[in-house]
Amino acid sequence: MIQRKTQMGMLVLAAMVAASFWANRGQKDGATQPIRGLDIQLDYALQDFEYQFFDLEGLPSASLVAPELSNHAASGISQVNNPVFNVIDRGISWEIVAESATVAADKEHIVLSGDVWIRRPATDLGEPLNISTSELTIEVSPKIASSDRPVILMEGKDIMEAVGFRVNMMNNRFQLLDQVKLTYAVN
């Protein structure tokens, strides 16, 4: 004969099994509901991230910091919101900020757009430099920035305006392409 305590335990266990079965009866094995609003074209998305780029000697050559990045699975192209890109060469860090950026799949070409600013600190070659444009293409390894859009360069009190430019950040050489206007401050 089964003791009353054992009978109660078996009854409670049967009730728990029944409740568990009832709670799970609407779901199929391993099936999950899709997440609403999920972009299935994305491979991954990051928040508050930092990319580090290194040269062939393993030294830091650039970094990209932003609050949000999304990488598209099919193309490998990344979209970045509010990027801050730093190009480092011989101790000089060129800071580049923009509203958005597109990073190519090879991570060697970056197109920054919106309100784009480049800032280079003062060097023994000259005053601090500020460059403003609406779109900028960066070639990461050769450290070249270029644009075919209107650009304003301010070095100290001198102002240079042009349509299109190219700058080699390794040797600090500029090329203004078209419609160049220079305003030099007289000391």
Side-chain angles (χ1 to χ4, degrees):
M1 180 134 202
I2 300 177
Q3 291 184 349
R4 183 151 178 80
K5 218 177 184 186
T6 304
Q7 284 179 336
M8 286 303 286
M10 288 173 56
L11 186 60
V12 169
L13 181 60
M16 289 174 57
V17 168
S20 182
F21 174 76
W22 179 77
N24 291 320
R25 74 173 190 257
Q27 295 183 1
K28 297 177 183 171
D29 291 336
T32 59
Q33 299 297 321
I35 299 170
R36 292 178 192 235
L38 179 64
D39 184 352
I40 60 172
Q41 298 296 318
L42 292 180
D43 189 17
Y44 60 88
L46 303 174
Q47 291 185 334
D48 298 324
F49 78 96
E50 182 174 353
Y51 266 151
Q52 289 288 327
F53 300 84
F54 296 91
D55 62 17
L56 295 174
E57 297 171 4
L59 298 172
S61 64
S63 68
L64 175 60
V65 178
E68 186 178 307
L69 170 138
S70 58
N71 190 70
H72 296 275
S75 65
I77 294 174
S78 299
Q79 293 295 121
V80 183
N81 292 330
N82 300 313
V84 176
F85 190 72
N86 285 289
V87 177
I88 305 159
D89 188 64
R90 292 175 279 209
I92 298 172
S93 180
W94 296 67
E95 180 184 67
I96 305 167
V97 297
E99 291 176 19
S100 65
T102 302
V103 181
D106 65 2
K107 310 297 185 240
E108 281 293 318
H109 299 88
I110 300 172
V111 177
L112 297 112
S113 55
D115 191 14
V116 182
W117 281 90
I118 303 172
R119 294 178 183 96
R120 184 209 64 204
T123 66
D124 50 347
L125 300 173
E127 303 258 348
L129 176 71
N130 291 297
I131 303 171
S132 173
T133 189
S134 62
E135 186 175 278
L136 183 73
T137 301
I138 299 174
E139 298 171 49
V140 176
S141 291
K143 299 180 183 177
I144 294 174
S146 62
S147 178
D148 59 359
R149 304 285 174 94
V151 61
I152 299 173
L153 294 91
M154 296 166 281
E155 187 173 25
K157 295 180 181 179
D158 299 333
I159 299 172
M160 297 169 265
E161 297 178 57
V163 174
F165 81 106
R166 177 181 164 94
V167 59
N168 183 328
M169 292 177 267
M170 289 175 56
N171 63 15
N172 206 31
R173 300 248 170 141
F174 294 86
Q175 180 182 15
L176 302 175
L177 302 178
D178 196 20
Q179 301 178 30
V180 178
K181 178 182 171 186
L182 305 173
T183 306
Y184 288 106
V186 178
N187 294 336

